[in-house]
Amino acid sequence: MKVVVIGGTGLVGSKVVERLNAHGHEAVPASPQSGCNTVTGEGVDEALAGADVVVDVSNSPSFADDDVLSFFTTSTANLLEAEERAGVQHHVAVSIVGCDRLPDSGYLRAKVAQEMLIRESGRPYSIVRATQFFEFTKSIADGSTIDGKVHLAPVHYQPMASDDVAAAVARAAAGTPRNGVLEIGGPEPLRMDEFIPAVLKENGDERDVVVDEHARYFGTELDDDSLVPGPGAELGAVGYREWAERRATA
Ligand SMILES: NC(=O)c1ccc[n+]([C@@H]2O[C@H](COP(=O)([O-])OP(=O)(O)OC[C@H]3O[C@@H](n4cnc5c(N)ncnc54)[C@H](OP(=O)(O)O)[C@@H]3O)[C@@H](O)[C@H]2O)c1
Protein backbone atom coordinates (compact mmCIF):
# COMPACT_ATOMS: atom_id res chain seq x y z
CA MET A 1 0.00 0.00 0.00
CA LYS A 2 1.36 3.45 -0.87
CA VAL A 3 0.99 5.94 1.99
CA VAL A 4 1.98 9.58 1.55
CA VAL A 5 2.83 11.18 4.89
CA ILE A 6 2.31 14.94 4.84
CA GLY A 7 4.69 16.30 7.48
CA GLY A 8 6.72 13.10 7.15
CA THR A 9 9.89 14.97 8.10
CA GLY A 10 8.49 16.02 11.49
CA LEU A 11 8.66 14.44 14.96
CA VAL A 12 5.66 12.11 14.54
CA GLY A 13 5.74 11.98 10.74
CA SER A 14 9.27 10.58 10.47
CA LYS A 15 8.35 7.79 12.91
CA VAL A 16 5.14 7.01 10.99
CA VAL A 17 7.15 6.68 7.75
CA GLU A 18 9.66 4.38 9.47
CA ARG A 19 6.96 2.15 10.98
CA LEU A 20 4.92 1.79 7.82
CA ASN A 21 8.00 0.93 5.76
CA ALA A 22 9.07 -1.61 8.40
CA HIS A 23 5.65 -3.27 7.96
CA GLY A 24 6.08 -3.64 4.22
CA HIS A 25 4.15 -0.58 3.03
CA GLU A 26 5.54 2.07 0.72
CA ALA A 27 5.52 5.18 2.92
CA VAL A 28 6.70 8.42 1.35
CA PRO A 29 7.32 11.64 3.34
CA ALA A 30 6.01 14.83 1.73
CA SER A 31 6.55 18.36 3.00
CA PRO A 32 8.04 21.67 1.83
CA GLN A 33 11.50 20.08 2.15
CA SER A 34 10.56 17.65 -0.64
CA GLY A 35 8.68 20.25 -2.73
CA CYS A 36 5.16 19.52 -1.41
CA ASN A 37 3.49 22.54 0.20
CA THR A 38 -0.13 21.90 1.21
CA VAL A 39 -0.73 25.61 1.95
CA THR A 40 0.26 26.93 -1.49
CA GLY A 41 -0.70 23.68 -3.24
CA GLU A 42 2.74 23.45 -4.85
CA GLY A 43 3.75 19.86 -5.61
CA VAL A 44 0.71 18.31 -3.90
CA ASP A 45 -0.79 16.55 -6.96
CA GLU A 46 2.65 15.17 -7.84
CA ALA A 47 3.22 13.92 -4.28
CA LEU A 48 -0.17 12.17 -4.13
CA ALA A 49 0.14 10.32 -7.45
CA GLY A 50 -0.59 6.63 -6.88
CA ALA A 51 -1.30 7.04 -3.14
CA ASP A 52 -3.83 4.73 -1.47
CA VAL A 53 -3.71 6.56 1.87
CA VAL A 54 -2.70 10.06 2.99
CA VAL A 55 -1.56 10.66 6.57
CA ASP A 56 -1.53 14.32 7.64
CA VAL A 57 0.84 14.97 10.53
CA SER A 58 1.89 18.44 9.41
CA ASN A 59 2.01 21.36 11.81
CA SER A 60 1.82 25.11 11.48
CA PRO A 61 5.19 26.92 11.57
CA SER A 62 3.48 29.71 13.58
CA PHE A 63 1.18 29.13 16.58
CA ALA A 64 -0.36 32.64 16.45
CA ASP A 65 -4.17 32.24 16.44
CA ASP A 66 -4.80 33.54 12.89
CA ASP A 67 -1.76 31.77 11.42
CA VAL A 68 -2.61 28.38 12.85
CA LEU A 69 -6.25 28.60 11.78
CA SER A 70 -5.23 29.65 8.30
CA PHE A 71 -2.61 26.86 8.13
CA PHE A 72 -4.90 23.98 9.13
CA THR A 73 -7.93 25.10 7.11
CA THR A 74 -6.05 25.97 3.91
CA SER A 75 -3.76 22.97 4.06
CA THR A 76 -6.56 20.50 4.85
CA ALA A 77 -8.89 21.86 2.16
CA ASN A 78 -6.12 21.71 -0.47
CA LEU A 79 -5.17 18.22 0.59
CA LEU A 80 -8.72 16.82 0.56
CA GLU A 81 -9.34 18.24 -2.92
CA ALA A 82 -6.08 16.77 -4.21
CA GLU A 83 -6.97 13.41 -2.62
CA GLU A 84 -10.25 13.38 -4.51
CA ARG A 85 -8.43 14.05 -7.81
CA ALA A 86 -5.88 11.32 -7.03
CA GLY A 87 -8.48 8.74 -5.91
CA VAL A 88 -6.99 8.39 -2.40
CA GLN A 89 -9.06 5.96 -0.32
CA HIS A 90 -8.30 7.03 3.27
CA HIS A 91 -7.33 10.32 4.96
CA VAL A 92 -5.72 9.94 8.40
CA ALA A 93 -5.07 13.03 10.54
CA VAL A 94 -3.67 13.66 14.01
CA SER A 95 -5.63 15.92 16.30
CA ILE A 96 -5.65 16.62 20.03
CA VAL A 97 -7.65 15.08 22.88
CA GLY A 98 -10.06 17.66 24.28
CA CYS A 99 -9.78 20.11 21.37
CA ASP A 100 -13.59 20.30 21.13
CA ARG A 101 -13.90 21.11 24.85
CA LEU A 102 -11.58 24.16 24.82
CA PRO A 103 -12.85 26.81 22.39
CA ASP A 104 -10.88 29.62 24.07
CA SER A 105 -7.62 28.23 22.66
CA GLY A 106 -6.78 29.48 19.17
CA TYR A 107 -4.61 26.43 18.45
CA LEU A 108 -7.33 24.01 19.53
CA ARG A 109 -10.00 25.92 17.57
CA ALA A 110 -7.83 25.41 14.51
CA LYS A 111 -7.64 21.65 15.15
CA VAL A 112 -11.45 21.55 15.47
CA ALA A 113 -11.73 23.41 12.15
CA GLN A 114 -9.33 20.89 10.59
CA GLU A 115 -11.42 17.99 11.92
CA MET A 116 -14.65 19.56 10.63
CA LEU A 117 -13.29 19.93 7.09
CA ILE A 118 -12.29 16.26 7.14
CA ARG A 119 -15.70 15.08 8.46
CA GLU A 120 -17.64 17.24 6.03
CA SER A 121 -15.55 16.25 3.00
CA GLY A 122 -17.52 13.02 2.59
CA ARG A 123 -14.23 11.20 2.05
CA PRO A 124 -13.21 8.12 4.11
CA TYR A 125 -11.16 9.22 7.12
CA SER A 126 -9.73 8.41 10.52
CA ILE A 127 -8.91 11.09 13.09
CA VAL A 128 -6.45 10.12 15.84
CA ARG A 129 -6.67 12.50 18.80
CA ALA A 130 -3.52 12.30 20.92
CA THR A 131 -2.64 13.78 24.29
CA GLN A 132 0.46 15.97 24.77
CA PHE A 133 3.79 14.46 23.68
CA PHE A 134 6.54 14.07 26.32
CA GLU A 135 8.78 15.90 23.83
CA PHE A 136 6.47 18.93 24.11
CA THR A 137 6.85 19.42 27.89
CA LYS A 138 9.35 22.29 27.75
CA SER A 139 7.33 24.08 25.05
CA ILE A 140 4.25 23.90 27.29
CA ALA A 141 6.26 25.31 30.19
CA ASP A 142 7.62 28.08 27.94
CA GLY A 143 4.11 28.93 26.73
CA SER A 144 2.92 29.05 30.36
CA THR A 145 5.67 31.36 31.59
CA ILE A 146 4.75 34.85 32.75
CA ASP A 147 7.47 37.11 34.18
CA GLY A 148 9.81 34.14 34.50
CA LYS A 149 7.34 31.92 36.41
CA VAL A 150 5.59 28.88 34.99
CA HIS A 151 1.84 29.08 35.66
CA LEU A 152 0.14 25.68 35.64
CA ALA A 153 -3.39 24.51 36.37
CA PRO A 154 -3.89 21.70 38.90
CA VAL A 155 -5.52 19.28 36.47
CA HIS A 156 -5.31 15.68 35.29
CA TYR A 157 -2.74 15.10 32.58
CA GLN A 158 -1.88 11.99 30.56
CA PRO A 159 1.03 12.77 28.19
CA MET A 160 2.56 10.20 25.87
CA ALA A 161 5.63 9.32 23.82
CA SER A 162 5.63 10.40 20.19
CA ASP A 163 6.65 6.78 19.39
CA ASP A 164 3.28 5.61 20.72
CA VAL A 165 1.50 8.33 18.72
CA ALA A 166 3.30 7.19 15.57
CA ALA A 167 2.43 3.55 16.25
CA ALA A 168 -1.29 4.37 16.58
CA VAL A 169 -1.24 6.55 13.47
CA ALA A 170 0.56 3.87 11.44
CA ARG A 171 -2.01 1.26 12.58
CA ALA A 172 -4.83 3.62 11.59
CA ALA A 173 -3.24 4.17 8.15
CA ALA A 174 -2.90 0.43 7.56
CA GLY A 175 -6.47 -0.24 8.71
CA THR A 176 -9.89 0.59 7.33
CA PRO A 177 -11.30 4.12 7.69
CA ARG A 178 -13.12 4.64 11.02
CA ASN A 179 -15.04 7.64 9.76
CA GLY A 180 -14.73 8.76 13.36
CA VAL A 181 -12.27 9.57 16.11
CA LEU A 182 -9.83 7.36 18.01
CA GLU A 183 -8.47 8.81 21.26
CA ILE A 184 -5.00 7.84 22.44
CA GLY A 185 -3.14 8.78 25.63
CA GLY A 186 -0.20 7.93 27.84
CA PRO A 187 -0.18 4.87 30.12
CA GLU A 188 -0.05 6.87 33.37
CA PRO A 189 -2.67 9.24 34.78
CA LEU A 190 -0.63 12.18 36.09
CA ARG A 191 -1.21 15.76 37.19
CA MET A 192 0.00 18.68 35.12
CA ASP A 193 1.10 20.71 38.15
CA GLU A 194 3.25 17.81 39.39
CA PHE A 195 4.57 16.31 36.14
CA ILE A 196 5.77 19.47 34.39
CA PRO A 197 7.63 20.89 37.45
CA ALA A 198 9.28 17.48 38.01
CA VAL A 199 10.49 17.34 34.38
CA LEU A 200 11.77 20.92 34.56
CA LYS A 201 13.66 20.16 37.76
CA GLU A 202 15.12 16.96 36.30
CA ASN A 203 16.44 19.01 33.38
CA GLY A 204 18.03 21.68 35.58
CA ASP A 205 15.36 24.28 34.76
CA GLU A 206 15.23 26.60 37.76
CA ARG A 207 12.01 28.45 36.92
CA ASP A 208 9.53 28.87 39.77
CA VAL A 209 6.13 27.25 39.27
CA VAL A 210 2.84 28.90 40.25
CA VAL A 211 -0.11 26.54 40.61
CA ASP A 212 -3.24 28.44 39.65
CA GLU A 213 -6.62 27.03 38.71
CA HIS A 214 -7.04 29.96 36.27
CA ALA A 215 -3.66 29.37 34.57
CA ARG A 216 -4.07 29.29 30.80
CA TYR A 217 -2.96 26.51 28.50
CA PHE A 218 -2.51 27.89 24.96
CA GLY A 219 -5.09 30.58 25.69
CA THR A 220 -7.65 28.55 27.61
CA GLU A 221 -8.42 27.73 31.22
CA LEU A 222 -8.67 24.02 31.94
CA ASP A 223 -11.14 21.84 33.83
CA ASP A 224 -9.84 18.85 35.72
CA ASP A 225 -10.49 16.50 32.80
CA SER A 226 -10.11 18.83 29.78
CA LEU A 227 -6.92 17.18 28.48
CA VAL A 228 -7.45 13.53 29.37
CA PRO A 229 -8.88 10.89 27.06
CA GLY A 230 -12.21 9.17 27.65
CA PRO A 231 -12.86 5.53 28.66
CA GLY A 232 -12.55 4.06 25.15
CA ALA A 233 -9.04 5.43 24.56
CA GLU A 234 -6.07 3.30 23.52
CA LEU A 235 -3.19 3.81 25.94
CA GLY A 236 0.46 3.90 24.88
CA ALA A 237 3.09 1.47 26.18
CA VAL A 238 5.86 3.92 27.11
CA GLY A 239 5.72 5.78 30.41
CA TYR A 240 7.70 8.93 31.13
CA ARG A 241 10.55 7.23 33.02
CA GLU A 242 11.17 4.71 30.24
CA TRP A 243 10.96 7.48 27.63
CA ALA A 244 13.51 9.63 29.53
CA GLU A 245 15.90 6.69 29.97
CA ARG A 246 15.66 5.79 26.28
CA ARG A 247 16.32 9.40 25.39
CA ALA A 248 19.34 9.62 27.70
CA THR A 249 20.93 6.55 26.10
CA ALA A 250 20.04 7.48 22.50
N1 LIG B 1 2.84 18.41 20.33
C1 LIG B 1 1.86 17.76 20.93
O1 LIG B 1 1.88 17.53 22.14
C2 LIG B 1 0.68 17.28 20.09
C3 LIG B 1 -0.34 16.56 20.70
C4 LIG B 1 -1.37 16.05 19.93
C5 LIG B 1 -1.38 16.26 18.55
N2 LIG B 1 -0.39 17.00 17.97
C6 LIG B 1 -0.42 17.19 16.51
O2 LIG B 1 0.59 16.37 15.93
C7 LIG B 1 0.87 16.85 14.62
C8 LIG B 1 2.36 16.67 14.33
O3 LIG B 1 3.13 17.40 15.25
P1 LIG B 1 4.73 17.29 15.24
O4 LIG B 1 5.20 17.84 16.54
O5 LIG B 1 5.17 15.91 14.83
O6 LIG B 1 5.10 18.30 14.07
P2 LIG B 1 6.55 18.88 13.69
O7 LIG B 1 7.65 18.02 14.21
O8 LIG B 1 6.57 20.34 14.00
O9 LIG B 1 6.56 18.71 12.08
C9 LIG B 1 5.77 19.54 11.29
C10 LIG B 1 5.77 18.97 9.89
O10 LIG B 1 4.85 19.76 9.11
C11 LIG B 1 5.48 20.01 7.86
N3 LIG B 1 4.92 21.21 7.24
C12 LIG B 1 5.02 22.50 7.68
N4 LIG B 1 4.44 23.33 6.79
C13 LIG B 1 3.95 22.55 5.78
C14 LIG B 1 3.27 22.81 4.57
N5 LIG B 1 2.97 24.07 4.20
N6 LIG B 1 2.95 21.78 3.76
C15 LIG B 1 3.24 20.48 4.11
N7 LIG B 1 3.89 20.17 5.25
C16 LIG B 1 4.24 21.20 6.08
C17 LIG B 1 6.97 20.17 8.20
O11 LIG B 1 7.72 20.01 6.99
P3 LIG B 1 9.21 20.60 6.77
O12 LIG B 1 10.12 19.74 7.63
O13 LIG B 1 9.48 20.40 5.30
O14 LIG B 1 9.17 22.03 7.20
C18 LIG B 1 7.13 19.01 9.17
O15 LIG B 1 7.33 17.81 8.46
C19 LIG B 1 0.32 18.28 14.55
O16 LIG B 1 -0.79 18.31 13.69
C20 LIG B 1 -0.12 18.58 15.98
O17 LIG B 1 -1.27 19.40 16.03
C21 LIG B 1 0.64 17.49 18.70
Side-chain angles (χ1 to χ4, degrees), residues 6-13 30-34 36-40 56-61 71-72 75 94-97 107 111 114 130-133 136 140:
I6 306 293
T9 51
L11 175 66
V12 172
S31 76
Q33 275 190 56
S34 63
C36 171
N37 187 323
T38 50
V39 173
T40 62
D56 183 8
V57 277
S58 63
N59 207 354
S60 173
F71 177 87
F72 280 117
S75 165
V94 179
S95 187
I96 301 180
V97 166
Y107 189 89
K111 295 303 284 186
Q114 177 188 15
T131 59
Q132 289 63 41
F133 311 160
F136 199 51
I140 293 174

Side-chain angles (χ1 to χ4, degrees), residues 154-173:
V155 296
H156 284 124
Y157 192 58
Q158 209 162 327
M160 65 190 300
S162 62
D163 278 316
D164 280 333
V165 179
V169 172
R171 279 196 300 276

Side-chain angles (χ1 to χ4, degrees), residues 76-89:
T76 302
N78 285 341
L79 203 45
L80 290 164
E81 283 171 20
E83 287 174 30
E84 181 149 25
R85 287 193 292 276
V88 172
Q89 292 304 307

Side-chain angles (χ1 to χ4, degrees), residues 85-106:
R85 287 193 292 276
V88 172
Q89 292 304 307
H90 188 183
H91 179 97
V92 179
V94 179
S95 187
I96 301 180
V97 166
C99 61
D100 54 340
R101 296 191 283 260
L102 298 165
D104 289 343
S105 162

